[in-house]
């Protein structure tokens, strides 16, 4: 059975609090995800001080301050924060992961030996950033929100040109709107990416609810990434488009069920349905009393359950033959 890698995106939903971050780790463990992911950045390295927030950020935060720098500065995790969270993840038995948004943060995450990299949608046109990640020569998961196929080609070409091989690349279809309207998801684009690039694909979801990531697994996603929060009503840029803990748990459970349900693709009789064959199928039976020597015809034969006798698929073989003995009405015909 294939195992979908489920990444619970805590992101900045800790609101700068180490205690909330640990509670998010607890919730991710309880939900049964594979990885919990945070974000690693220094605000001054990531954004100009006069940069404005996105409309969804202003709407979700609602504090009247539209400075992206001020928002991000409050959401930074220090090195000591990272070390404490890594240790807590190890204690709770879940894999710690993070997305870096600047070069210093890339170097710092490299020192943690996480063995996996995430290129977020906003960095997919950042040539030096992609080049640096490629040179680590470790598996890469790349989101493609706000991209067309050519954007994805350009980024993949950078990864390949600096030594990364396709077997180490997973591309996530994504829509960068929080929350994403269902009509903008375009989930089939994930299949286009798979055929176009010949790599593993997945889906990074910003819709409300769990239906779309579950559907993505049914379509062949190998990685699912989903934002989650302790409470959607908390202040912050991403809480509104995040799952709460019980929803995250339901998503994981649904995905694991879908993985089992997909099977191996071979059409055959399953072990669980074997016993129902004779109950649900039918046999050729006498529609009326039949005497020995009578010819079986469409007038004196019919088809009824159970399927313990001659299959109705043998109907044309039976019609025209003579009865070798008497049959009562409703009796299963024996040849």
């Amino acid at each position: 059975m294939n195992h979908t890698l489920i990444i619970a995106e805590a992101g900045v939903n800790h609101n700068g609090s180490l205690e909330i971050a640990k509670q998010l780790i607890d919730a991710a463990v309880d939900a049964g995800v594979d990885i919990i992911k945070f974000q690693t950045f220094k605000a001054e390295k990531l954004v100009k001080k006069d940069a404005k927030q996105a409309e969804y950020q202003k709407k979700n935060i609602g504090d009247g301050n539209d400075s992206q720098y001020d928002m991000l500065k409050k959401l930074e995790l220090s090195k000591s924060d990272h070390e404490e969270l890594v240790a807590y993840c190890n204690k709770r038995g879940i894999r710690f992961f993070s997305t870096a948004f600047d070069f210093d943060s890339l170097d710092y995450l490299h020192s943690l030996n996480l063995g996996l990299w995430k290129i977020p949608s906003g960095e997919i046109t950042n040539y030096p950033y992609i080049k640096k990640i490629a040179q680590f020569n470790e598996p890469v998961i790349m989101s493609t929100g706000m991209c067309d196929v050519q954007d994805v080609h350009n980024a993949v070409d950078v990864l390949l040109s600096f030594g990364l091989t396709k077997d180490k690349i997973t591309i996530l279809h994504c829509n960068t709107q929080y929350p994403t309207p269902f009509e903008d998801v375009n989930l089939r684009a994930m299949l286009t990416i798979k055929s176009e690039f010949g790599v593993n694909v997945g889906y990074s979801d910003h819709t409300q609810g769990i239906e779309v990531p579950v559907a993505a697994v049914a379509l062949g996603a190998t990685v699912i990434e989903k934002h989650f929060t302790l409470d959607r009503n908390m202040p912050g840029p991403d809480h509104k488009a995040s799952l709460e803990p019980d929803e995250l748990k339901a998503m994981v459970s649904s995905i694991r069920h879908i993985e089992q349900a997909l099977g191996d693709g071979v059409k055959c009789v399953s072990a669980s349905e074997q016993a129902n064959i004779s109950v649900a199928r039918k046999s050729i039976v006498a529609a009326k009393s039949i005497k020995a020597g009578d010819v079986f015809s469409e007038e004196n034969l019919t088809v009824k359950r159970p399927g313990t006798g001659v299959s109705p698929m043998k109907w044309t073989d039976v019609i025209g033959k003579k009865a070798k003995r008497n049959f009562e009405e409703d009796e299963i015909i024996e040849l």
Side-chain angles (χ1 to χ4, degrees):
M1 184 181 77
N2 292 330
H3 181 87
T4 308
L5 187 73
I6 302 177
I7 302 172
E9 171 71 75
V12 295
N13 282 346
H14 50 74
N15 285 6
S17 163
L18 204 55
E19 184 55 39
I20 292 176
K22 288 182 178 179
Q23 291 174 17
L24 286 164
I25 292 170
D26 291 336
V29 171
D30 184 58
V33 305
D34 299 290
I35 293 175
I36 183 167
K37 187 169 81 66
F38 293 91
Q39 294 179 6
T40 304
F41 57 85
K42 291 295 180 187
E44 62 270 17
K45 302 278 188 181
L46 174 56
V47 64
K48 291 178 71 215
K49 291 189 178 178
D50 61 354
K52 303 300 183 185
Q53 293 174 10
E55 283 303 315
Y56 80 87
Q57 293 171 334
K58 286 190 280 189
K59 181 180 178 182
N60 291 347
I61 296 172
D63 63 1
N65 180 1
D66 67 355
S67 167
Q68 194 174 156
Y69 175 84
D70 290 347
M71 174 191 74
L72 292 170
K73 196 65 186 170
K74 297 173 185 174
L75 300 172
E76 288 180 356
L77 293 172
S78 68
K79 287 187 178 181
S80 62
D81 291 339
H82 279 75
E83 290 161 9
E84 194 164 339
L85 292 178
V86 169
Y88 193 69
C89 281
N90 290 337
K91 178 182 175 183
R92 293 303 325 270
I94 191 171
R95 187 174 178 182
F96 174 91
F97 189 38
S98 190
T99 301
F101 286 84
D102 57 76
F103 296 146
D104 289 348
S105 296
L106 285 173
D107 288 330
Y108 176 63
L109 289 184
H110 189 237
S111 75
L112 296 180
N113 296 312
L114 301 180
L116 182 65
W117 296 94
K118 175 67 196 296
I119 298 174
S121 297
E123 304 299 331
I124 204 165
T125 57
N126 188 343
Y127 177 94
Y129 173 97
I130 299 172
K131 172 185 173 183
K132 188 175 180 71
I133 284 181
Q135 290 173 325
F136 292 134
N137 196 29
E138 293 176 327
V140 169
I141 298 171
M142 183 170 69
S143 283
T144 58
M146 305 174 290
C147 290
D148 58 25
V149 170
Q150 189 57 53
D151 291 325
V152 183
H153 266 294
N154 294 342
V156 170
D157 287 347
V158 177
L159 291 173
L160 296 177
S161 65
F162 287 96
L164 207 66
T165 51
K166 282 191 174 184
D167 62 302
K168 290 184 176 179
I169 300 172
T170 300
I171 300 178
L172 306 187
H173 176 51
C174 178
N175 179 288
T176 307
Q177 177 58 288
Y178 303 81
T180 298
F182 287 106
E183 63 269 22
D184 286 348
V185 170
N186 191 19
L187 197 52
R188 289 192 180 99
M190 183 181 74
L191 303 180
T192 301
I193 292 169
K194 185 175 179 66
S195 63
E196 181 81 10
F197 296 95
V199 297
N200 283 329
V201 293
Y203 176 62
S204 179
D205 185 52
H206 300 126
T207 62
Q208 292 178 319
I210 68 173
E211 302 100 317
V212 182
V214 173
V217 173
L219 283 179
T222 61
V223 176
I224 291 294
E225 181 181 81
K226 182 76 172 178
H227 282 264
F228 81 110
T229 178
L230 298 178
D231 183 348
R232 262 194 298 274
N233 294 316
M234 292 172 72
D238 297 335
H239 293 285
K240 290 287 189 293
S242 301
L243 296 180
E244 292 184 344
D246 58 337
E247 297 168 317
L248 180 66
K249 195 170 188 176
M251 185 192 81
V252 173
S253 175
S254 297
I255 286 173
R256 298 303 179 221
H257 289 160
I258 290 297
E259 287 170 343
Q260 289 180 299
L262 285 171
D264 60 10
V266 177
K267 181 58 183 170
C268 60
V269 179
S270 71
S272 64
E273 66 183 348
Q274 188 79 44
N276 294 328
I277 292 176
S278 62
V279 176
R281 290 184 178 174
K282 294 177 176 176
S283 303
I284 299 175
V285 303
K288 59 177 75 169
S289 294
I290 299 173
K291 302 296 183 185
D294 287 352
V295 175
F296 292 130
S297 68
E298 297 200 358
E299 284 69 43
N300 61 17
L301 295 181
T302 189
V303 172
K304 293 185 180 181
R305 289 178 177 177
T308 53
V310 178
S311 167
M313 293 302 285
K314 301 283 190 181
W315 183 261
T316 57
D317 295 337
V318 176
I319 296 295
K321 285 190 165 54
K322 288 184 178 180
K324 292 183 178 179
R325 64 173 180 84
N326 296 339
F327 290 95
E328 298 295 327
E329 182 180 346
D330 249 9
E331 188 177 351
I332 288 177
I333 297 298
E334 296 171 350
L335 294 180

